[in-house]
Amino acid sequence: MFGVTLVFILHLLLWIYLCSKLKSKEQFLAIPPRSYALLCLFFMLLGMLGMQQGDYVHYIDILQQIESLKSLYTNYTGYISHMEPQYVWLTHLFHGAYFPWRFCVFCLQYLILFFFLRKLRVNTYFMFLLILILCMHDFVYQRASWGIILFTCALVYALQSRNYAYLLLCPLAILAHKSIIVLLLCLPVVFLKCNKKNLYLLFGLFLVLIAVISFVFTNTATLSDYFQQGDYGQEALEQMGKAKSNNFIGWLMGSSVGNAIGSTPSRLVIIFTVIKLAIETASNKIKLPRFIDAMLLYSLTIIVLAMAFAFSGKAHSVYVNRILSMASLPIAFVIHYFYENKLIGKKYGVMAFSVVSFCYLFLFLLEVFYAVVL
């Protein structure tokens, strides 16, 4: 209980501190090196502490189950069957000690992320706030966050025609988490522009994907079983009489209070915002920097893919949310640029920020409730 409450207070304090910078002129200026280092350490601390529930406990169980490296190759039916080899190796390196393992998996990623923020010159207080409310919830839950960060960095190099760096980072991203393979499907759009023609193509792709996913999953039992399975929390809810949420309405309502009140409204606002920005960019022929234009269309493509799974009724809401989480970092770059250049209406910006912030804080407050009740 104390640990969960402490985590919530730390998140709340960081949110208040970053929000206090929004009214100052320095919100879009580069953060001084000392403050930048302190913020980086604070984010790493939050990554270490996690949220004390869900996958936090799930990974503790996994580490306790691993007995030898041999089990990686001989036991593909147990807890570790879904973990990549490097995470199993780290487990044995630290003899199953959870916090050193978690430090490597959930903390070091921020060093890479903040290095690239400086490189792209978006190391601002506002960008930190966006990462906090858009990415943090997923980044302390999923080891896939390593892959999301590395793949986004790979795209930066691809847009700069630095192919060797891209070819190095892309396999590393997939090695970090096998679900990153999904992002390879969205890669071609990075080299397109956000215009009406390409938006119509994405809408057509959305309709085609619904049909293809429905057909393939109906006729492929293995894929269907994999994408319709839930996580441990979902299985517990099903034992209590809840139904699987493997359709759009199920995803919208969520499989838990956390989804229904927390993550789903936040996701919907983010989805609507990206669609709104893409339409306005294409309709008004707004000239964007190459990187922002690529991130906007790339984010929209990930959303199209996730919503195609949701509308097809063939994928569990857990996987729909996981795909959407892969767009969180690119979306942060896009919103930062549009907000800095006053391309987002003030009223809409305040409304969207309020909803997403409420959902973000609610999810962490819910962890305190879980700790007390459960």
Side-chain angles (χ1 to χ4, degrees):
M1 171 60 186
F2 174 77
V4 180
T5 305
L6 176 63
V7 171
F8 173 73
I9 292 174
L10 290 175
H11 278 271
L12 182 61
L13 289 175
L14 181 57
W15 179 81
I16 293 173
Y17 172 73
L18 293 174
C19 284
S20 69
K21 297 293 184 179
L22 292 184
K23 294 183 179 180
S24 66
K25 295 181 180 180
E26 59 183 349
Q27 62 173 314
F28 293 118
L29 298 178
I31 301 174
R34 182 176 296 180
S35 299
Y36 196 73
L38 289 174
L39 279 173
C40 182
L41 289 174
F42 203 94
F43 269 78
M44 291 175 69
L45 174 63
L46 295 179
M48 173 72 79
L49 295 174
M51 296 203 307
Q52 310 289 320
Q53 196 267 337
D55 273 6
Y56 185 93
V57 178
H58 172 53
Y59 283 121
I60 293 177
D61 293 336
I62 291 177
L63 266 60
Q64 291 175 347
Q65 291 290 327
I66 298 175
E67 296 180 357
S68 67
L69 278 175
K70 184 180 178 181
S71 62
L72 172 66
Y73 306 102
T74 60
N75 181 15
Y76 248 67
T77 59
Y79 271 96
I80 66 169
S81 62
H82 68 295
M83 284 185 60
E84 290 73 19
Q86 66 271 23
Y87 302 119
V88 178
W89 178 79
L90 281 173
T91 302
H92 291 282
L93 180 65
F94 297 120
H95 302 287
Y98 183 58
F99 283 105
W101 181 88
R102 188 172 179 87
F103 175 81
C104 293
V105 178
F106 290 97
C107 296
L108 294 182
Q109 60 185 351
Y110 291 110
L111 293 178
I112 297 175
L113 174 60
F114 295 146
F115 168 79
F116 269 89
L117 292 184
R118 287 179 65 89
K119 181 180 176 63
L120 295 171
R121 298 180 180 179
V122 288
N123 51 321
T124 66
Y125 287 108
F126 185 63
M127 188 64 183
F128 268 78
L129 181 60
L130 289 174
I131 290 173
L132 184 69
I133 64 176
L134 296 181
C135 308
M136 195 65 178
H137 180 266
D138 295 316
F139 281 11
V140 300
Y141 252 132
Q142 307 173 5
R143 65 187 189 281
S145 55
W146 258 108
I148 295 170
I149 293 171
L150 289 173
F151 196 82
T152 305
C153 295
L155 293 181
V156 174
Y157 285 122
L159 292 169
Q160 296 174 348
S161 298
R162 299 174 65 177
N163 296 327
Y164 290 110
Y166 167 75
L167 292 174
L168 173 64
L169 287 175
C170 194
L172 287 177
I174 296 173
L175 181 63
H177 200 280
K178 51 185 173 288
S179 65
I180 301 302
I181 293 176
V182 172
L183 296 181
L184 291 176
L185 302 175
C186 307
L187 181 60
V189 303
V190 172
F191 304 99
L192 302 177
K193 292 185 177 180
C194 185
N195 53 39
K196 289 184 178 180
K197 176 183 176 181
N198 289 329
L199 291 187
Y200 285 132
L201 286 175
L202 279 180
F203 181 72
L205 177 65
F206 170 67
L207 298 178
V208 170
L209 280 174
I210 293 176
V212 170
I213 291 170
S214 298
F215 175 79
V216 171
F217 280 37
T218 300
N219 294 277
T220 310
T222 303
L223 283 175
S224 180
D225 291 342
Y226 178 78
F227 279 95
Q228 290 190 28
Q229 65 180 333
D231 60 359
Y232 293 98
Q234 174 66 19
E235 291 173 5
L237 287 169
E238 287 170 6
Q239 291 174 3
M240 295 166 59
K242 302 290 184 179
K244 276 191 176 182
S245 51
N246 57 342
N247 53 53
F248 178 72
I249 300 300
W251 172 79
L252 194 64
M253 295 305 295
S255 57
S256 66
V257 176
N259 275 349
I261 303 178
S263 61
T264 301
S266 175
R267 302 280 194 204
L268 290 174
V269 169
I270 294 169
I271 289 170
F272 180 79
T273 299
V274 173
I275 295 174
K276 180 177 184 293
L277 295 179
I279 292 175
E280 289 179 355
T281 299
S283 300
N284 300 325
K285 298 181 179 180
I286 300 174
K287 292 185 178 180
L288 301 175
R290 184 70 190 93
F291 173 69
I292 300 300
D293 198 16
M295 289 297 101
L296 178 56
L297 205 59
Y298 172 68
S299 303
L300 187 59
T301 305
I302 296 175
I303 289 172
V304 165
L305 181 61
M307 289 296 95
F309 273 101
F311 276 92
S312 70
K314 298 298 180 181
H316 196 281
S317 62
V318 169
Y319 295 100
V320 176
N321 279 314
R322 171 158 292 184
I323 295 174
L324 286 174
S325 71
M326 296 178 183
S328 58
L329 184 57
I331 289 173
F333 286 117
V334 171
I335 293 178
H336 182 276
Y337 177 84
F338 274 79
Y339 195 85
E340 181 182 9
N341 292 275
K342 299 179 180 180
L343 297 174
I344 295 180
K346 186 175 182 180
K347 291 184 178 179
Y348 178 82
V350 171
M351 182 277 295
F353 174 77
S354 299
V355 171
V356 175
S357 291
F358 167 79
C359 294
Y360 160 77
L361 293 173
F362 174 82
L363 283 170
F364 283 91
L365 183 61
L366 195 63
E367 300 300 326
V368 180
F369 173 77
Y370 280 152
V372 174
V373 175
L374 303 179

